[in-house]
Structure formats: structure tokens, C-alpha cells
Amino acid sequence: MGSMNSSLEVEQASELEIITLANNNGMTVEIINYGARVKSIKFPVHNKPTEMILGYDSATDYITDDFYLGATCGRVCNRIAGGNFEIAGREYQLPLNDGDNCLHGGIDNFSKRYWAVDKATQSNSSVTLSLISPNGDQGFPGTLNLSVTYQLSEDNKLSIEYLANTDSATPINLTNHAYFNLGEQDCQSLYLQMMSSAVLETDSANIPTGNIIPVEQTDYNFREPACVGKRQGNTQDKSLKEKQGYDHCFVLDNAPFAEPKAVLTSLKNQISLSVYTDQATIQLYTGFYLSGEFGSYQGLCLEAQNYTDADNNKHFPSNILQPNQKYQRKIIYQFESIT
Ligand code: BGC
């Protein structure tokens, strides 16, 4: 105590808030305002509350997190090639924080901000956090007003709703970066099913080439449930071998919101997680960059979002939000016992 570092931590920690949501079926969710993150999701396994995602014990540990644990990523999650893009003939340059590219919104991205907690609407089942991202923030144009609402239902759905508006055209692509292991030691024995018929081809820096590849006859075909660890361990696919796992953007089939877009299952704990979303893709990332107190593959992310680098691929659905438009996206994580 007393060193500059610890006094800095205390100062920053004083702004930290933990919000707990709970339902009457034994599910609890902890949200922290630093990065509008999901810190914990506990769901009963054989009547014992069990952690479903990766997290740090202490909320202050998130301040030094490099892995985007449970985070709200933005303004533009995933990669923007060269950190640059053009809107209406004007070029914008963002800071580069992933080799030559910009990842998850830049160096000081939304996962590193203290979001405001809306006390007026807060309850045991719901909380809204908001943030104002000023014009020029991380190089992005326009003042962006945004909020994320977390709501826990009695039928064990954690719903995440993003809302935003801007006063000048800007790209926006928000996602949640929770790492799931459904109470297992890692994600290797989980089964995954995804309603995706195509994946974005990427180069070794994870930047889309622009090609959209059908998943048929490939190790990207999760249309029937497949064991994640077996798939990535036995693969002959060049990109999967090079990366040592999945870090790919799966284009979701056009299906009604009410149909799950991905289902992750733990046979051991007899639990399934269904992901519902109106986003166009899911980035499946199997956590092979995790290190330090976490091991590779200790959890996997199912990041519902728009196509990677839509800002430099005009044939992908656009990320651009205009001043007269409202950005509104939804992700639901539903947990179920499958006994
Ligand atoms: C990306 C990974 C990246 C990770 C950072 C994921 O969304 O796809 O490439 O390393 O975020 O934790």
C-alpha cells in the first residue's frame, strides 16, 4: 500500500460499480460499469450455482484486462484494415492496436471506459449503462450517444440491447465478448451448432479478403452440432491450423429472431446456451490468445456482430449510422438444463 500504483488503483476503483441481476430460478448475473462488462453468469448445475463464463475475482482486475473479458466492444468491434476507412470521400485514420490494424475500436476503446449506470431504471432484473463517445474519439467522426441494457428474465435469458445515435455519419458495430465454458475447465469438449452457411475468408492478420466461403465440406460447418476441441485439433484447414483454432466470422443464415443462431452445449454439466440475435454474423473465437491466469481455450466467444471490416468491403452490409437513424441491436443468451 502507499505506492503510486496502489493509490491509482484505489482512485480508479472508486468509480467501479457492480450490479447484480437475479431471477427466482437460481440464475445471477453480475455487470460492471467498467467496459459495460458481464463479469459473471451463474446458472445452477445439479442445483449448485456454477460459473458459466470467464472472469476475474475482483472487479478492479478488469482495469488491466487485455482479453476483453465480458466486454462491450466498440465503436467498431473486430478489425478495421489499416485502421482506416472513408465516409463520403473523407478518409479517417484510427489508432493501430493490432499490428497494422485497429481492433475493437482502438487503444482507448469502449471496454476501457466507465459507463454511467441509469439509477432511475435499475432493478433486480435490469440495468442500463450509457456512454457518450465524443466527436473524434479514437479518430471516429460524430458524437455517439449509446446505451446497453442488460435484462435477466425468469426463463433464464440474459438479453443485451444496444441503442445508439450520432450527430454525424459514423461506423458502429457493437458486440459482447463473454468467454463461455458452461462450467467446464475449458471449451474443448463443448459442442457447438451454428446456423451459418458461409464464413469470411481472412488473411494471416485476420483481415477479410472479401471472399465469402460456403462452409459445406469444411471444418467451418457447424450446421450439425460438433465438438469444438476435436474439430480444431484434427483440422487440416490452413487458416485453422495457422491460428490454432477458430477466430472467424460466420455469416448467419437469414432466419427469424426467435430461432437460435448458435447453440453451445456441455454434455458434462447438461447445460445448453442458445444465442439469439438480429446481428448478421457471429465471430467464433476459441480463446487461444488467453494467457497469464487463464489458459488457451479456457472459454470461447460467440460475438454477435456485423461483418468484419465492413468499412473497407462495400459488398458487406454497411456499419454506417447516419444522424437520422437509430442503431438498435439485440443479443440474447439463454441457459437451459438439458436433463
Ligand atoms: C478477436 C481475436 C482477438 C480477441 C481479443 C476477438 O474478438 O477475434 O482475434 O485476439 O478478440 O481478446
XYZ file of all heavy atoms in Angstrom, residues 160-246:
679
model
N -29.354 -8.555 -24.119
C -28.450 -7.401 -24.237
C -28.973 -6.554 -25.390
O -29.083 -7.051 -26.522
C -27.009 -7.844 -24.566
C -26.536 -8.900 -23.568
C -26.068 -6.667 -24.619
C -25.164 -9.497 -23.902
N -29.310 -5.311 -25.085
C -29.808 -4.455 -26.164
C -28.928 -3.217 -26.296
O -28.678 -2.517 -25.321
C -31.254 -4.042 -25.904
C -31.779 -3.231 -27.071
C -33.297 -3.154 -27.134
O -33.914 -3.141 -26.049
O -33.836 -3.105 -28.241
N -28.464 -2.968 -27.523
C -27.632 -1.804 -27.802
C -28.467 -0.752 -28.522
O -29.181 -1.088 -29.479
C -26.458 -2.176 -28.716
C -25.572 -3.283 -28.166
C -25.591 -4.555 -28.722
C -24.717 -3.042 -27.092
C -24.777 -5.568 -28.216
C -23.900 -4.055 -26.586
C -23.935 -5.305 -27.156
O -23.135 -6.305 -26.660
N -28.356 0.490 -28.076
C -29.033 1.598 -28.748
C -28.007 2.705 -28.946
O -27.188 2.953 -28.044
C -30.157 2.166 -27.882
C -31.432 1.362 -27.699
C -32.377 2.102 -26.752
C -32.105 1.137 -29.049
N -28.046 3.374 -30.098
C -27.120 4.487 -30.296
C -27.667 5.458 -31.323
O -28.450 5.083 -32.197
C -25.752 3.973 -30.750
N -27.244 6.707 -31.190
C -27.463 7.684 -32.256
C -26.246 8.584 -32.356
O -25.406 8.614 -31.454
C -28.768 8.472 -32.048
C -28.764 9.211 -30.735
O -27.891 10.042 -30.479
N -29.708 8.899 -29.872
N -26.150 9.268 -33.486
C -24.965 10.077 -33.763
C -25.383 11.411 -34.386
O -26.474 11.499 -34.956
C -24.028 9.313 -34.733
O -22.874 10.100 -34.995
C -24.701 8.991 -36.063
N -24.496 12.418 -34.299
C -24.821 13.687 -34.958
C -24.080 13.836 -36.284
O -24.184 14.858 -36.954
C -24.540 14.869 -34.020
C -23.084 14.948 -33.592
O -22.257 14.138 -34.090
O -22.756 15.816 -32.755
N -23.315 12.797 -36.649
C -22.600 12.822 -37.927
C -22.340 11.374 -38.330
O -22.150 10.528 -37.447
C -21.288 13.583 -37.712
O -20.554 13.662 -38.873
N -22.341 11.067 -39.617
C -22.214 9.668 -40.059
C -20.962 9.021 -39.469
O -19.870 9.585 -39.539
C -22.162 9.609 -41.579
N -21.139 7.851 -38.897
C -20.008 7.131 -38.283
C -20.227 5.625 -38.391
O -21.374 5.176 -38.379
C -19.841 7.505 -36.785
O -18.695 6.803 -36.258
C -21.052 7.126 -35.943
N -19.134 4.845 -38.476
C -19.316 3.396 -38.381
C -19.586 2.990 -36.943
O -19.067 3.617 -36.012
C -17.971 2.830 -38.854
C -16.992 3.919 -38.713
C -17.740 5.222 -38.717
N -20.396 1.990 -36.762
C -20.634 1.430 -35.428
C -20.895 -0.060 -35.571
O -21.556 -0.506 -36.522
C -21.798 2.141 -34.685
C -22.059 1.474 -33.312
C -23.073 2.192 -35.510
C -22.996 2.241 -32.415
N -20.336 -0.843 -34.654
C -20.516 -2.295 -34.646
C -20.206 -2.756 -33.224
O -19.052 -2.776 -32.811
C -19.566 -2.951 -35.667
C -19.816 -4.441 -35.844
O -20.806 -4.979 -35.347
N -18.918 -5.116 -36.542
N -21.253 -3.018 -32.462
C -21.064 -3.359 -31.048
C -21.282 -4.849 -30.832
O -22.128 -5.466 -31.478
C -22.056 -2.578 -30.174
C -22.001 -1.051 -30.272
C -23.065 -0.423 -29.379
C -20.622 -0.515 -29.892
N -20.516 -5.409 -29.907
C -20.722 -6.810 -29.547
C -20.395 -7.040 -28.083
O -19.850 -6.163 -27.412
C -19.884 -7.766 -30.417
O -20.382 -9.106 -30.251
C -18.408 -7.763 -30.046
N -20.729 -8.225 -27.618
C -20.343 -8.664 -26.280
C -19.290 -9.757 -26.402
O -19.389 -10.641 -27.243
C -21.562 -9.176 -25.502
C -21.135 -9.692 -24.146
O -20.926 -10.883 -23.955
N -20.966 -8.784 -23.198
N -18.278 -9.673 -25.538
C -17.090 -10.520 -25.662
C -16.946 -11.482 -24.481
O -15.838 -11.731 -23.988
C -15.858 -9.605 -25.783
C -14.699 -10.180 -26.514
N -13.832 -11.073 -25.937
C -14.244 -9.991 -27.767
C -12.894 -11.388 -26.806
N -13.120 -10.756 -27.928
N -18.074 -12.057 -24.015
C -18.002 -13.046 -22.924
C -17.364 -14.336 -23.440
O -17.598 -14.742 -24.584
C -19.399 -13.328 -22.382
N -16.543 -14.953 -22.586
C -15.926 -16.245 -22.908
C -16.708 -17.326 -22.158
O -16.671 -17.364 -20.920
C -14.487 -16.314 -22.411
C -13.484 -15.444 -23.119
C -13.402 -14.082 -22.865
C -12.565 -16.002 -24.014
C -12.451 -13.287 -23.485
C -11.603 -15.214 -24.633
C -11.557 -13.862 -24.368
O -10.603 -13.082 -24.970
N -17.369 -18.214 -22.876
C -18.183 -19.252 -22.247
C -17.409 -20.565 -22.119
O -16.719 -20.977 -23.062
C -19.428 -19.538 -23.098
C -20.337 -18.336 -23.241
C -20.277 -17.517 -24.362
C -21.241 -18.017 -22.238
C -21.104 -16.411 -24.486
C -22.077 -16.913 -22.352
C -22.007 -16.110 -23.479
N -17.584 -21.224 -20.963
C -17.143 -22.619 -20.872
C -18.216 -23.486 -20.201
O -18.002 -24.665 -19.973
C -15.781 -22.764 -20.177
C -15.776 -22.148 -18.794
O -16.828 -21.950 -18.201
N -14.597 -21.835 -18.289
N -19.342 -22.853 -19.871
C -20.500 -23.551 -19.290
C -20.111 -24.397 -18.076
O -20.640 -25.488 -17.870
C -21.213 -24.407 -20.356
C -21.642 -23.675 -21.632
C -22.464 -24.607 -22.533
C -22.443 -22.417 -21.331
N -19.154 -23.886 -17.296
C -18.772 -24.556 -16.051
C -17.760 -25.666 -16.238
O -17.381 -26.325 -15.265
N -17.298 -25.872 -17.489
C -16.242 -26.877 -17.708
C -14.886 -26.193 -17.562
O -14.794 -24.973 -17.470
C -16.400 -27.504 -19.098
C -17.687 -28.304 -19.231
C -17.589 -29.409 -20.278
O -16.472 -29.803 -20.638
O -18.658 -29.871 -20.723
N -13.808 -27.031 -17.591
C -12.465 -26.473 -17.421
C -12.051 -25.586 -18.591
O -11.296 -24.645 -18.451
C -11.460 -27.615 -17.340
C -11.171 -27.978 -15.914
C -10.177 -29.094 -15.833
O -9.885 -29.770 -16.832
N -9.655 -29.301 -14.650
N -12.537 -25.939 -19.768
C -12.235 -25.149 -20.955
C -13.338 -25.389 -21.982
O -14.355 -26.011 -21.655
C -10.838 -25.479 -21.505
C -10.681 -26.945 -21.845
O -11.648 -27.537 -22.359
O -9.605 -27.512 -21.588
N -13.119 -24.902 -23.206
C -14.205 -25.010 -24.195
C -14.035 -26.212 -25.118
O -14.830 -26.426 -26.025
C -14.315 -23.723 -25.012
S -12.912 -23.414 -26.113
N -12.996 -27.017 -24.882
C -12.646 -28.058 -25.847
C -13.683 -29.176 -25.990
O -13.863 -29.711 -27.069
C -11.296 -28.690 -25.470
C -10.135 -27.720 -25.513
C -9.552 -27.556 -26.902
O -10.285 -27.472 -27.883
N -8.247 -27.513 -26.993
N -14.372 -29.519 -24.896
C -15.343 -30.609 -25.055
C -16.773 -30.110 -25.270
O -17.712 -30.912 -25.284
C -15.282 -31.609 -23.904
O -14.828 -31.020 -22.755
N -16.930 -28.802 -25.426
C -18.274 -28.278 -25.703
C -18.665 -28.590 -27.145
O -17.810 -28.666 -28.036
C -18.309 -26.762 -25.480
C -17.939 -26.277 -24.068
C -17.997 -24.754 -23.994
C -18.855 -26.893 -23.023
N -19.962 -28.757 -27.349
C -20.500 -28.944 -28.703
C -21.106 -27.638 -29.178
O -21.772 -26.940 -28.399
C -21.561 -30.060 -28.718
C -20.916 -31.417 -28.783
C -20.286 -31.954 -27.659
C -20.891 -32.146 -29.977
C -19.647 -33.180 -27.724
C -20.264 -33.382 -30.040
C -19.632 -33.892 -28.921
O -18.996 -35.097 -28.986
N -20.860 -27.313 -30.428
C -21.374 -26.064 -30.980
C -22.182 -26.333 -32.237
O -21.775 -27.143 -33.092
C -20.204 -25.125 -31.321
C -20.584 -23.790 -31.963
C -21.404 -22.918 -31.001
C -19.331 -23.028 -32.405
N -23.305 -25.668 -32.317
C -24.101 -25.687 -33.548
C -24.314 -24.232 -33.953
O -24.620 -23.395 -33.095
C -25.447 -26.356 -33.284
C -26.318 -26.449 -34.521
C -27.586 -27.256 -34.277
O -28.070 -27.333 -33.150
N -28.125 -27.839 -35.331
N -24.131 -23.909 -35.232
C -24.360 -22.525 -35.691
C -25.109 -22.529 -37.007
O -24.779 -23.286 -37.916
C -23.028 -21.792 -35.874
C -22.592 -21.049 -34.623
S -21.358 -19.795 -34.968
C -19.985 -20.809 -35.435
N -26.099 -21.665 -37.082
C -26.917 -21.558 -38.284
C -26.218 -20.655 -39.294
O -26.646 -19.526 -39.551
C -28.305 -21.029 -37.915
C -29.063 -21.985 -37.039
S -28.988 -23.640 -37.766
C -29.107 -24.656 -36.350
N -25.118 -21.164 -39.800
C -24.292 -20.382 -40.718
C -23.872 -21.255 -41.885
O -23.371 -22.361 -41.691
C -23.045 -19.897 -39.973
O -22.060 -19.484 -40.893
N -24.071 -20.730 -43.085
C -23.700 -21.478 -44.298
C -22.440 -20.935 -44.944
O -21.978 -21.469 -45.953
C -24.827 -21.400 -45.332
O -26.035 -21.823 -44.760
N -21.896 -19.856 -44.386
C -20.724 -19.248 -45.023
C -19.865 -18.528 -44.000
O -20.358 -18.071 -42.961
C -21.180 -18.259 -46.092
N -18.590 -18.450 -44.311
C -17.639 -17.829 -43.395
C -16.798 -16.828 -44.195
O -16.614 -17.008 -45.401
C -16.791 -18.950 -42.723
C -15.848 -19.615 -43.704
C -16.070 -18.497 -41.495
N -16.315 -15.779 -43.521
C -15.472 -14.820 -44.242
C -14.049 -15.364 -44.321
O -13.472 -15.739 -43.301
C -15.440 -13.456 -43.540
C -16.760 -12.721 -43.331
C -16.499 -11.290 -42.840
C -17.601 -12.703 -44.599
N -13.513 -15.384 -45.535
C -12.104 -15.780 -45.681
C -11.245 -14.639 -45.145
O -11.537 -13.467 -45.412
C -11.808 -16.020 -47.164
C -10.399 -16.491 -47.424
C -10.121 -16.617 -48.921
O -10.143 -15.567 -49.610
O -9.891 -17.745 -49.389
N -10.209 -15.006 -44.369
C -9.333 -13.958 -43.811
C -7.873 -14.273 -44.114
O -7.513 -15.434 -44.342
C -9.498 -13.858 -42.272
O -9.470 -15.178 -41.712
C -10.773 -13.165 -41.876
N -7.028 -13.235 -44.049
C -5.588 -13.454 -44.229
C -4.954 -13.748 -42.864
O -5.661 -13.850 -41.859
C -4.947 -12.252 -44.945
C -4.987 -10.978 -44.101
O -5.254 -11.069 -42.882
O -4.740 -9.897 -44.668
N -3.632 -13.850 -42.825
C -2.987 -14.262 -41.568
C -3.108 -13.185 -40.486
O -2.910 -13.474 -39.308
C -1.533 -14.632 -41.811
O -0.904 -13.545 -42.427
N -3.452 -11.956 -40.858
C -3.665 -10.905 -39.854
C -5.145 -10.800 -39.480
O -5.553 -9.846 -38.827
C -3.154 -9.571 -40.367
N -5.926 -11.778 -39.936
C -7.357 -11.824 -39.608
C -8.195 -10.766 -40.322
O -9.273 -10.409 -39.855
C -7.579 -11.671 -38.099
C -7.860 -13.011 -37.468
O -8.286 -13.930 -38.155
N -7.629 -13.120 -36.179
N -7.688 -10.288 -41.427
C -8.425 -9.293 -42.216
C -9.142 -10.026 -43.360
O -8.522 -10.821 -44.080
C -7.441 -8.244 -42.809
C -6.748 -7.476 -41.676
C -8.159 -7.287 -43.751
C -7.665 -6.675 -40.770
N -10.441 -9.772 -43.542
C -11.164 -10.436 -44.631
C -10.555 -10.117 -46.001
O -10.155 -8.975 -46.252
C -12.574 -9.843 -44.524
C -12.692 -9.363 -43.131
C -11.308 -8.940 -42.707
N -10.492 -11.170 -46.833
C -10.018 -10.951 -48.198
C -11.148 -10.398 -49.064
O -10.923 -9.949 -50.174
C -9.573 -12.293 -48.825
O -10.729 -13.156 -48.851
C -8.448 -12.947 -48.049
N -12.370 -10.496 -48.557
C -13.548 -10.094 -49.340
C -14.338 -11.297 -49.816
O -15.519 -11.186 -50.145
N -13.685 -12.471 -49.814
C -14.379 -13.684 -50.255
C -15.242 -14.253 -49.133
O -14.820 -14.294 -47.975
C -13.378 -14.771 -50.677
C -12.583 -14.346 -51.894
O -13.076 -13.572 -52.717
N -11.351 -14.818 -52.007
N -16.421 -14.720 -49.524
C -17.335 -15.359 -48.566
C -17.424 -16.823 -48.985
O -17.830 -17.134 -50.104
C -18.715 -14.665 -48.592
C -18.545 -13.164 -48.275
C -19.671 -15.319 -47.610
C -19.806 -12.335 -48.393
N -16.962 -17.723 -48.101
C -16.752 -19.128 -48.467
C -17.873 -20.002 -47.908
O -18.142 -19.949 -46.696
C -15.411 -19.628 -47.846
C -14.265 -18.666 -48.162
C -15.078 -21.034 -48.267
C -13.847 -18.642 -49.611
N -18.502 -20.839 -48.744
C -19.511 -21.771 -48.207
C -18.862 -22.753 -47.230
O -17.729 -23.181 -47.445
C -20.019 -22.523 -49.448
C -19.464 -21.803 -50.627
C -18.285 -20.995 -50.191
N -19.582 -23.096 -46.158
C -18.989 -23.965 -45.128
C -19.061 -25.455 -45.470
O -18.359 -26.263 -44.849
C -19.628 -23.752 -43.728
C -19.418 -22.337 -43.237
C -21.116 -24.131 -43.721
N -19.890 -25.788 -46.441
C -20.068 -27.199 -46.802
C -18.726 -27.896 -47.022
O -17.841 -27.329 -47.668
C -20.847 -27.280 -48.119
C -22.232 -27.845 -47.917
C -23.080 -27.608 -49.131
O -22.709 -28.115 -50.203
O -24.082 -26.891 -48.986
N -18.584 -29.103 -46.493
C -17.361 -29.908 -46.644
C -16.132 -29.257 -46.023
O -15.012 -29.517 -46.443
C -17.032 -30.156 -48.144
C -18.173 -30.492 -49.026
C -18.388 -32.006 -49.076
O -17.446 -32.764 -49.096
N -19.631 -32.408 -49.067
N -16.334 -28.361 -45.065
C -15.180 -27.743 -44.400
C -15.347 -27.895 -42.886
O -16.416 -28.251 -42.408
C -15.072 -26.221 -44.693
O -16.096 -25.546 -43.943
C -15.203 -25.904 -46.170
N -14.291 -27.550 -42.146
C -14.371 -27.585 -40.684
C -15.070 -26.344 -40.119
O -15.063 -26.138 -38.900
C -12.974 -27.756 -40.080
C -12.482 -29.187 -40.252
O -13.335 -30.095 -40.301
O -11.255 -29.386 -40.359
N -15.658 -25.545 -40.997
C -16.466 -24.400 -40.550
C -17.950 -24.758 -40.569
O -18.792 -23.916 -40.304
C -16.211 -23.179 -41.449
C -14.762 -22.779 -41.469
C -13.900 -23.265 -42.467
C -14.234 -21.945 -40.494
C -12.565 -22.921 -42.477
C -12.895 -21.593 -40.497
C -12.067 -22.087 -41.490
O -10.732 -21.752 -41.491
N -18.243 -26.003 -40.905
C -19.646 -26.411 -40.977
C -20.131 -26.876 -39.596
O -19.855 -27.996 -39.176
C -19.815 -27.527 -42.018
C -21.281 -27.846 -42.246
O -22.153 -27.315 -41.546
N -21.553 -28.711 -43.203
N -20.833 -25.984 -38.916
C -21.403 -26.306 -37.599
C -22.920 -26.412 -37.683
O -23.615 -26.195 -36.707
C -21.010 -25.235 -36.571
C -19.592 -25.341 -36.088
C -18.592 -24.562 -36.643
C -19.259 -26.235 -35.077
C -17.281 -24.664 -36.199
C -17.948 -26.349 -34.632
C -16.957 -25.559 -35.193
N -23.413 -26.733 -38.877
C -24.876 -26.786 -39.031
C -25.453 -27.928 -38.191
O -26.561 -27.831 -37.706
C -25.245 -26.880 -40.507
C -24.714 -25.641 -41.279
C -25.228 -25.584 -42.662
N -26.681 -25.524 -42.642
C -27.380 -24.419 -42.402
N -26.763 -23.281 -42.171
N -28.679 -24.461 -42.393
N -24.663 -28.991 -38.034
C -24.990 -30.036 -37.053
C -23.999 -29.848 -35.909
O -22.859 -29.453 -36.148
C -24.811 -31.430 -37.679
C -25.742 -31.726 -38.838
C -27.217 -31.683 -38.436
O -27.527 -32.074 -37.291
O -28.045 -31.238 -39.259
N -24.414 -30.139 -34.657
C -23.502 -29.918 -33.526
C -22.181 -30.676 -33.703
O -22.185 -31.824 -34.157
C -24.287 -30.482 -32.328
C -25.715 -30.518 -32.758
C -25.729 -30.680 -34.237
N -21.080 -30.002 -33.372
C -19.759 -30.641 -33.472
C -18.934 -30.252 -32.257
O -19.094 -29.161 -31.707
C -19.056 -30.178 -34.746
N -18.039 -31.153 -31.856
C -17.192 -30.910 -30.692
C -16.068 -29.943 -31.086
O -15.275 -30.216 -31.998
C -16.607 -32.239 -30.193
S -15.474 -32.006 -28.833
N -16.014 -28.824 -30.379
C -15.096 -27.738 -30.751
C -13.641 -28.203 -30.738
O -12.887 -27.995 -31.695
C -15.291 -26.538 -29.784
C -14.249 -25.461 -30.019
C -16.702 -25.978 -29.912
N -13.233 -28.854 -29.645
C -11.833 -29.272 -29.499
C -11.426 -30.284 -30.555
O -10.338 -30.206 -31.118
N -12.315 -31.250 -30.819
C -11.999 -32.268 -31.827
C -11.850 -31.625 -33.192
O -10.916 -31.910 -33.933
C -13.123 -33.310 -31.891
C -12.938 -34.400 -30.880
C -13.858 -35.578 -31.168
C -13.981 -36.428 -29.924
N -15.302 -37.001 -29.736
N -12.780 -30.718 -33.504
C -12.735 -30.029 -34.792
C -11.424 -29.273 -34.989
O -10.759 -29.420 -36.004
C -13.881 -29.003 -34.856
C -15.145 -29.479 -35.495
C -14.952 -29.607 -36.995
N -16.059 -30.293 -37.584
C -17.196 -29.691 -37.926
N -17.339 -28.394 -37.774
N -18.170 -30.382 -38.443
N -11.065 -28.463 -33.993
C -9.874 -27.646 -34.226
C -8.582 -28.455 -34.027
O -7.559 -28.122 -34.611
C -9.884 -26.339 -33.427
C -10.011 -26.463 -31.947
C -10.201 -25.107 -31.244
O -10.506 -24.099 -31.866
N -9.999 -25.079 -29.953
N -8.668 -29.558 -33.271
C -7.488 -30.398 -33.068
C -7.169 -31.244 -34.281
O -5.997 -31.476 -34.596
N -8.193 -31.715 -34.975
C -7.966 -32.647 -36.094
C -7.945 -31.970 -37.453
O -7.829 -32.634 -38.468
C -9.096 -33.694 -36.137
C -9.097 -34.549 -34.882
O -8.063 -34.683 -34.236
N -10.238 -35.109 -34.538
N -8.088 -30.658 -37.470
C -8.313 -29.990 -38.761
C -7.093 -29.988 -39.687
O -5.945 -29.975 -39.222
C -8.767 -28.531 -38.530
O -9.185 -27.992 -39.782
C -7.654 -27.680 -37.944
N -7.366 -30.008 -40.963
C -6.314 -29.830 -41.968
C -6.452 -28.458 -42.627
O -5.706 -28.092 -43.523
C -6.405 -30.929 -43.051
C -6.049 -32.321 -42.539
C -4.700 -32.354 -41.820
O -3.709 -31.795 -42.295
N -4.663 -32.978 -40.650
N -7.431 -27.684 -42.174
C -7.679 -26.366 -42.771
C -6.511 -25.417 -42.467
O -6.098 -25.290 -41.312
C -8.981 -25.797 -42.197
C -9.304 -24.438 -42.766
O -9.921 -24.380 -43.837
O -8.906 -23.418 -42.135
N -6.015 -24.753 -43.496
C -4.808 -23.930 -43.360
C -4.988 -22.809 -42.326
O -4.165 -22.623 -41.438
C -4.490 -23.330 -44.741
C -3.189 -22.589 -44.827
C -2.837 -22.285 -46.286
C -1.788 -21.205 -46.375
N -2.319 -19.830 -46.310
N -6.092 -22.095 -42.436
C -6.320 -20.959 -41.549
C -6.508 -21.405 -40.091
O -5.973 -20.792 -39.159
C -7.554 -20.187 -42.038
O -7.856 -19.137 -41.193
N -7.229 -22.508 -39.888
C -7.440 -23.017 -38.524
C -6.137 -23.522 -37.918
O -5.875 -23.343 -36.722
C -8.486 -24.134 -38.516
C -9.935 -23.720 -38.792
C -10.826 -24.943 -38.949
C -10.454 -22.834 -37.669
N -5.307 -24.152 -38.759
C -4.020 -24.670 -38.260
C -3.091 -23.516 -37.898
O -2.435 -23.531 -36.867
C -3.363 -25.563 -39.313
C -3.916 -26.984 -39.275
C -3.409 -27.819 -40.398
C -2.073 -28.444 -40.088
N -1.773 -29.536 -41.043
N -3.068 -22.530 -38.772
C -2.193 -21.366 -38.574
C -2.552 -20.640 -37.280
O -1.696 -20.253 -36.495
C -2.417 -20.443 -39.773
C -1.413 -19.365 -39.997
C -1.766 -18.627 -41.291
O -2.594 -17.697 -41.238
O -1.238 -19.034 -42.349
N -3.854 -20.477 -37.039
C -4.296 -19.730 -35.850
C -4.384 -20.629 -34.613
O -4.578 -20.134 -33.518
C -5.686 -19.147 -36.092
C -5.770 -18.114 -37.196
C -7.181 -17.554 -37.242
C -7.415 -16.424 -38.177
N -7.091 -16.477 -39.536
N -4.324 -21.924 -34.798
C -4.512 -22.907 -33.717
C -5.923 -22.869 -33.136
O -6.124 -23.113 -31.942
C -3.473 -22.702 -32.621
C -2.078 -22.846 -33.175
C -1.026 -22.808 -32.111
O -1.177 -22.144 -31.095
N 0.055 -23.527 -32.341
N -6.866 -22.536 -33.963
C -8.254 -22.551 -33.514
C -9.117 -21.619 -34.330
O -8.679 -21.058 -35.336
N -10.350 -21.463 -33.839
C -11.305 -20.609 -34.543
C -11.183 -19.159 -34.093
O -11.219 -18.868 -32.893
C -12.745 -21.085 -34.279
C -13.050 -22.407 -34.934
C -12.921 -23.597 -34.236
C -13.457 -22.455 -36.267
C -13.195 -24.812 -34.840
C -13.733 -23.664 -36.884
C -13.591 -24.841 -36.162
O -13.860 -26.032 -36.784
